[in-house]
C-alpha cells in the first residue's frame, strides 16, 4: 500500500469515527433534553398549579379574593392537560368549584375539591416517575453506546499512533544511516525495504546509485592514485621546502628541499607527529614555534636564517591552514596545514646592498651639503658684501633646498640604521620636559609663521621617562612638525604627557584636515604619502618614528577622522 493511501486511510478513519461519535452524543443529549423538558413543562407546572389551588382553597372562608386566585390557576391547569385521566380530574375540580361559589360554607364540597386536586397531583407524580425512569434509561444507553464508540476510537487511534509513524520513520532512519555510509565512501551499503510503497521504489533507486558509485570508485581508483603521485612529484620538485601535516599534527608529506635543510630522512619524518620530530631537530622546532605559541606568532616576523647550500640563507615562513567544504555540508572542516619556506636569500642580499649604498651615499652627501650651507652663510654675511633683492631670493632658495637635502640625508641615514639593525640606543631615565622643549624649540619658527599656538600639558607627577632621549625627542619633533604642516593658520596644537597605567604617553593633537580611514593602516609605511596631500617630506618620518619607538619597547598609534584633525601618540616605559 502506498504511504499516501495509508495516511489518507488512517486520518480518514479517525475523522469518520469522530463524526460518528459526535452524532451519537448529540442525538442522546437531545433525547435527554426532550425527556427532561416533558417533565418540567407537562407535570411540574400541573403540580405547581395544584399546590396554588390548595393554598387558595384554605383561605376562601377568610379572604374573598382567594376565589379569583383559585379560578386563575384552574384556568391555567385546563390548558396544561397532558396525562391520561388528567382532563376528567380537572373537570371534576371545575364542577365542584362552581358549586362552592354558590355554597361557600359547604364542607362536603371543599373536601371533594381537595380529593380531586390530590388525584390530579397523584396522576402527575406517577407520570414524573415514569418519565424519570425513561430519562434514566436513555442516559444509561447513551453512556454505554458513547463509551463503546469512544473506546473503539481510542483503539483505532492507538493502533495508528503505534504503527503509522514507525512505518514511515523506520525506513527514513534506515535510509539516512545508509546515506551516511555512502558519504563515508562505503559504496557496498544497500537498503532492503520489503514494500511496494514509495519507500520500496526509493530503496531500489538508492541501491542502483550505490552500485554505480561502487563501480565508478573501483574503475577510477587508478586515476586517483596517478593524480596523487603527480601531486607528490610536483611537491618534490618545488625549489622551496614544503611540509604537510594533518589536523592532528602528523606529518603527511615532505619534499626533498625540506629534507635537505633539516638534515632528516623521509622515513624518519613522514607519519610521525611534528612535535616529536621537533624534540630532536632545532630547525623543525623553530619552524613550528608559531603553531604552538600565539606569542611567537606575533613576535617572530623576521625571516629565518638557515645554513643551506654551503652558506647562510634567508627564508620566509608561511603556515597555511587547509579548510575544505565537505560535499553536502555548509561549514568548512579543518584538515591540516602546509608549511612553506620561501628562499629569499637573493632578495635579502640585494636589500643589504641597497642599504649599504644608501648609507654610503647619504654619508658622502653630508660633506658637500655642509659646504653649501657654509657658503650660503658667507653670502648672507653683510661684511663680505651687500646682496640685491634678487640675489637674496636666490640665496634664500638655496638655503631652503640645502636644509631639505640635509633633512632627507638624515632620514636616509636613520632608515639605513633601521634596516641594518644597527640602531644604537641609550635607554636611561630621561627628562620629559627637555624632550618636549626640544620639539617645541625646533618648530617654534614654523608655528609662528602660521600663527599656530602650541599648548603643553604635562602631568605634574611625570618628570622622567625610561627612553633614549635623542631618539624620542626626534620622534616628538617629527610629530609636532607634521601637526604644524597640516594644521590651518591661527589654530592650536596640543602636546600632552600623561600616565597610561604603568607607562608614559606622549600625545600630539592637531585640528587640521584629518586623515581618511582607508589610509590609517598605511600611514607608518615607508615612503607612503597621503594622495593629494602637501608635497613635502619623503614619507620616511613616521616609518622611522615607528622603528625608534618600537626599538625602545613602546608603540605608536594614530587616531584621526576626516575634517576633525589627527592625534598621534606613543607610549614608553615610565
Amino acid at each position: 500500500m502506498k504511504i499516501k493511501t495509508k495516511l489518507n486511510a488512517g486520518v480518514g478513519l479517525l475523522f469518520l469515527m469522530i463524526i460518528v461519535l459526535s452524532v451519537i452524543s448529540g442525538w442522546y443529549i437531545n433525547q435527554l433534553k426532550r425527556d427532561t423538558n416533558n417533565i418540567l413543562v407537562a407535570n411540574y407546572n400541573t403540580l405547581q398549579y395544584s399546590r396554588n389551588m390548595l393554598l387558595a382553597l384554605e383561605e376562601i372562608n377568610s379572604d374573598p379574593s382567594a376565589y379569583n386566585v383559585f379560578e386563575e390557576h384552574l384556568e391555567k391547569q385546563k390548558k396544561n392537560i397532558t396525562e391520561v385521566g388528567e382532563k376528567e380530574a380537572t373537570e371534576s375540580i371545575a364542577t365542584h368549584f362552581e358549586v362552592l361559589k354558590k355554597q361557600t360554607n359547604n364542607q362536603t364540597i371543599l373536601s371533594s375539591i381537595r380529593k380531586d386536586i390530590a388525584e390530579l397531583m397523584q396522576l402527575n407524580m406517577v407520570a414524573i416517575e415514569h418519565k424519570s425512569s425513561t430519562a434514566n434509561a436513555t442516559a444509561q444507553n447513551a453512556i454505554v453506546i458513547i463509551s463503546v464508540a469512544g473506546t473503539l476510537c481510542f483503539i483505532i487511534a492507538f493502533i495508528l499512533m503505534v504503527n503509522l509513524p514507525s512505518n514511515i520513520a523506520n525506513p527514513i532512519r534506515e535510509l539516512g544511516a545508509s546515506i551516511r555510509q555512502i558519504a563515508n565512501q562505503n559504496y557496498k551499503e544497500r537498503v532492503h525495504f520489503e514494500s511496494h510503497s514509495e519507500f520500496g521504489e526509493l530503496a531500489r533507486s538508492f541501491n542502483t546509485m550505490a552500485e554505480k558509485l561502487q563501480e565508478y570508485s573501483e574503475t577510477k581508483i587508478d586515476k586517483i592514485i596517478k593524480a596523487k603521485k603527480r601531486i607528490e612529484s610536483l611537491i618534490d620538485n618545488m625549489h622551496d621546502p614544503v611540509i604537510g601535516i594533518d589536523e592532528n599534527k602528523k606529518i603527511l608529506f615532505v619534499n626533498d628541499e625540506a629534507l635537505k635543510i633539516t638534515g632528516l630522512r623521509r622515513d624518519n619524518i613522514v607519519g610521525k607527529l611534528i612535535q616529536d620530530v621537533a624534540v630532536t631537530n632545532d630547525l623543525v622546532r623553530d619552524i613550528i614555534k608559531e603553531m604552538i605559541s600565539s606569542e611567537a606568532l606575533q613576535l617572530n616576523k623576521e625571516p629565518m636564517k638557515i645554513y643551506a647550500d654551503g652558506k647562510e640563507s634567508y627564508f620566509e615562513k608561511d603556515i597555511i591552514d587547509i579548510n575544505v567544504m565537505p560535499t553536502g555540508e555548509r561549514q568548512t572542516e579543518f584538515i591540516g596545514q602546509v608549511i612553506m619556506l620561501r628562499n629569499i636569500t637573493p632578495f635579502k642580499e640585494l636589500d643589504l646592498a641597497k642599504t649599504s649604498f644608501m648609507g654610503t651615499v647619504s654619508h658622502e652627501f653630508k660633506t658637500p651639503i655642509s659646504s653649501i650651507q657654509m657658503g650660503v652663510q658667507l653670502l648672507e654675511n653683510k661684511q663680505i658684501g651687500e646682496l640685491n633683492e634678487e640675489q637674496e631670493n636666490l640665496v634664500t632658495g638655496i638655503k631652503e633646498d640645502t636644509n631639505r637635502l640635509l633633512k632627507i640625508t638624515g632620514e636616509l641615514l636613520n632608515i639605513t640604521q633601521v634596516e641594518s639593525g644597527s640602531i644604537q640606543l641609550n635607554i636611561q631615565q630621561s627628562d620629559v620636559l627637555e624632550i618636549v622643549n626640544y620639539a617645541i624649540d625646533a618648530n617654534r619658527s614654523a608655528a609662528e609663521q602660521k600663527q599656530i599656538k602650541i599648548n603643553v600639558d604635562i602631568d605634574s607627577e611625570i618628570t622622567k621617562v625610561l627612553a633614549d632621549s635623542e631618539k624620542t625627542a626626534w620622534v616628538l619633533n617629527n610629530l609636532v612638525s607634521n601637526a604644524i604642516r597640516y594644521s590651518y593658520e591661527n589654530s592650536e596644537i596640543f602636546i600632552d604627557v600623561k600616565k597610561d597605567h604603568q607607562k608614559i604617553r606622549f600625545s600630539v593633537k592637531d585640528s587640521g584636515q584629518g586623515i581618511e580611514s582607508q589610509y590609517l593602516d598605511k600611514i607608518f609605511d615607508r615612503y607612503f604619502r597621503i594622495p593629494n596631500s602637501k608635497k613635502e617630506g619623503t614619507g620616511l618620518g613616521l616609518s622611522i618614528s615607528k622603528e625608534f619607538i618600537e626599538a625602545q619597547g613602546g608603540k605608536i598609534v594614530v587616531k584621526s577622522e576626516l575634517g576633525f584633525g589627527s592625534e598621534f601618540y606613543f607610549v614608553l616605559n615610565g
Side-chain angles (χ1 to χ4, degrees):
M1 183 184 294
K2 301 292 184 182
I3 297 174
K4 184 177 180 181
T5 306
K6 289 182 180 179
L7 288 173
N8 289 337
V11 175
L13 183 59
L14 279 177
F15 185 70
L16 180 62
M17 293 300 297
I18 290 171
I19 292 175
V20 171
L21 186 61
S22 300
V23 170
I24 293 173
S25 301
W27 187 81
Y28 274 106
I29 289 171
N30 186 60
Q31 286 293 105
L32 289 172
K33 180 181 178 182
R34 187 184 65 185
D35 292 344
T36 53
N37 282 342
N38 287 340
I39 295 173
L40 179 63
V41 174
N43 305 112
Y44 177 77
N45 289 342
T46 297
L47 292 175
Q48 189 68 22
Y49 300 151
S50 300
R51 175 177 172 278
N52 291 333
M53 284 190 290
L54 284 175
L55 293 174
L57 193 63
E58 296 297 330
E59 297 177 358
I60 280 179
N61 293 328
S62 59
D63 186 4
S65 63
Y67 284 97
N68 294 331
V69 174
F70 187 96
E71 190 170 8
E72 178 185 352
H73 288 89
L74 179 60
E75 290 300 323
K76 290 180 179 179
Q77 171 57 29
K78 288 180 179 179
K79 298 177 182 178
N80 193 41
I81 296 173
T82 57
E83 304 298 332
V84 177
E86 189 175 346
K87 181 177 181 182
E88 291 77 3
T90 302
E91 290 176 351
S92 177
I93 293 171
T95 301
H96 291 147
F97 181 67
E98 292 297 328
V99 175
L100 180 63
K101 287 195 291 185
K102 296 176 182 178
Q103 300 176 14
T104 56
N105 294 323
N106 191 334
Q107 296 297 323
T108 304
I109 296 299
L110 285 171
S111 178
S112 298
I113 292 174
R114 289 190 183 94
K115 290 180 180 179
D116 293 337
I117 292 174
E119 182 180 356
L120 181 62
M121 294 177 71
Q122 181 64 29
L123 286 172
N124 280 276
M125 290 294 291
V126 172
I128 287 174
E129 183 178 355
H130 175 72
K131 291 178 180 179
S132 177
S133 299
T134 303
N136 286 335
T138 302
Q140 291 295 330
N141 291 335
I143 291 172
V144 172
I145 294 176
I146 292 174
S147 297
V148 171
T151 302
L152 185 59
C153 287
F154 174 78
I155 292 172
I156 294 174
F158 182 78
I159 293 172
L160 290 175
M161 183 183 70
V162 171
N163 294 323
L164 192 58
S166 60
N167 286 338
I168 297 174
N170 290 343
I172 292 176
R173 189 181 301 111
E174 184 178 347
L175 182 62
S178 299
I179 290 173
R180 285 190 290 273
Q181 291 293 325
I182 292 294
N184 292 327
Q185 299 182 1
N186 180 16
Y187 301 128
K188 295 181 180 180
E189 179 70 15
R190 299 290 185 271
V191 291
H192 304 283
F193 299 147
E194 299 296 333
S195 172
H196 297 287
S197 65
E198 291 87 344
F199 286 122
E201 296 175 3
L202 185 61
R204 289 188 289 274
S205 299
F206 178 88
N207 292 336
T208 302
M209 177 196 71
E211 289 174 4
K212 291 184 177 295
L213 285 173
Q214 184 178 3
E215 180 182 355
Y216 177 82
S217 174
E218 291 173 351
T219 55
K220 298 298 180 180
I221 192 69
D222 57 334
K223 291 185 178 180
I224 295 173
I225 293 174
K226 288 181 180 179
K228 179 176 179 292
K229 290 182 177 180
R230 188 180 299 116
I231 294 172
E232 289 176 349
S233 177
L234 177 64
I235 293 172
D236 284 338
N237 285 281
M238 290 179 65
H239 296 296
D240 294 326
V242 179
I243 301 174
I245 59 176
D246 65 10
E247 65 275 16
N248 298 317
K249 301 292 188 294
K250 181 183 291 185
I251 299 174
L252 298 176
F253 58 84
V254 58
N255 68 352
D256 294 336
E257 287 295 325
L259 293 173
K260 185 190 299 182
I261 66 171
T262 57
L264 297 171
R265 295 177 58 188
R266 194 181 302 273
D267 296 340
N268 296 333
I269 186 170
V270 175
K272 294 186 177 181
L273 293 175
I274 197 167
Q275 301 96 310
D276 297 339
V277 177
V279 173
T280 57
N281 190 285
D282 294 337
L283 178 57
V284 176
R285 189 183 309 121
D286 290 338
I287 291 174
I288 69 169
K289 198 176 291 182
E290 296 180 12
M291 300 166 55
I292 299 173
S293 173
S294 58
E295 294 182 359
L297 179 61
Q298 296 175 354
L299 298 176
N300 188 20
K301 296 182 180 179
E302 294 296 323
M304 296 182 64
K305 187 185 294 186
I306 301 173
Y307 189 81
D309 296 330
K311 64 176 182 177
E312 284 190 344
S313 300
Y314 294 88
F315 291 85
E316 278 189 351
K317 176 173 55 178
D318 277 340
I319 300 178
I320 304 169
D321 291 339
I322 307 300
N323 296 290
V324 298
M325 180 78 73
T327 305
E329 300 291 335
R330 295 184 178 180
Q331 294 184 344
T332 58
E333 180 183 353
F334 174 74
I335 62 170
Q337 294 172 305
V338 174
I339 303 171
M340 298 184 65
L341 301 177
R342 286 198 298 272
N343 193 339
I344 59 169
T345 304
F347 303 102
K348 189 69 175 178
E349 291 173 347
L350 289 173
D351 188 57
L352 291 173
K354 180 262 297 180
T355 301
S356 178
F357 174 76
M358 286 174 56
T360 303
V361 170
S362 301
H363 187 271
E364 292 297 328
F365 274 178
K366 274 201 163 185
T367 301
I369 291 172
S370 298
S371 300
I372 294 171
Q373 280 187 318
M374 186 177 296
V376 170
Q377 289 176 357
L378 290 173
L379 289 174
E380 288 179 333
N381 191 342
K382 294 184 178 181
Q383 294 180 355
I384 296 177
E386 293 287 340
L387 300 177
N388 58 35
E389 184 178 351
E390 185 177 352
Q391 290 171 336
E392 286 182 354
N393 290 335
L394 287 172
V395 170
T396 301
I398 294 171
K399 185 178 180 180
E400 290 177 352
D401 290 340
T402 304
N403 290 333
R404 186 167 179 271
L405 279 172
L406 189 62
K407 183 178 179 181
I408 292 172
T409 303
E411 288 182 349
L412 287 173
L413 284 172
N414 285 328
I415 202 66
T416 54
Q417 285 185 358
V418 169
E419 290 182 346
S420 62
S422 60
I423 300 177
Q424 300 296 324
L425 295 176
N426 182 23
I427 298 177
Q428 59 183 354
Q429 290 293 335
S430 304
D431 190 275
V432 171
L433 188 58
E434 287 183 3
I435 294 172
V436 174
N437 286 338
Y438 173 83
I440 294 174
D441 293 340
N443 293 279
R444 192 183 304 277
S445 176
E448 289 175 353
Q449 288 180 4
K450 298 182 70 173
Q451 298 181 354
I452 294 174
K453 182 181 179 182
I454 300 177
N455 298 300
V456 179
D457 182 11
I458 301 176
D459 195 325
S460 59
E461 298 180 0
I462 300 174
T463 58
K464 300 291 183 179
V465 61
L466 187 62
D468 184 314
S469 60
E470 181 182 348
K471 298 289 190 298
T472 306
W474 189 95
V475 172
L476 188 62
N477 171 44
N478 185 68
L479 296 182
V480 174
S481 175
N482 287 343
I484 293 172
R485 183 182 300 132
Y486 294 104
S487 291
Y488 302 112
E489 293 186 359
N490 299 309
S491 60
E492 292 182 317
I493 292 174
F494 298 90
I495 301 176
D496 292 333
V497 183
K498 304 289 185 185
K499 278 268 189 183
D500 189 353
H501 301 292
Q502 301 300 320
K503 297 181 180 294
I504 307 298
R505 169 173 160 163
F506 292 78
S507 169
V508 178
K509 185 175 182 180
D510 64 62
S511 54
Q513 62 186 12
I515 304 170
E516 295 183 50
S517 58
Q518 65 264 33
Y519 302 128
L520 289 177
D521 58 343
K522 301 178 181 178
I523 200 71
F524 294 105
D525 293 349
R526 293 177 189 174
Y527 308 109
F528 175 77
R529 297 170 65 181
I530 298 173
N532 302 321
S533 65
K534 296 181 179 181
K535 304 296 183 181
E536 298 181 20
T538 59
L540 289 172
L542 289 176
S543 174
I544 296 171
S545 298
K546 182 173 183 291
E547 296 287 350
F548 281 171
I549 294 301
E550 291 182 351
Q552 299 179 69
K555 67 175 182 178
I556 186 167
V557 181
V558 58
K559 292 182 178 179
S560 183
E561 185 176 352
L562 191 63
F564 294 92
S566 305
E567 178 185 9
F568 286 83
Y569 68 87
F570 58 88
V571 180
L572 295 172
N573 293 321

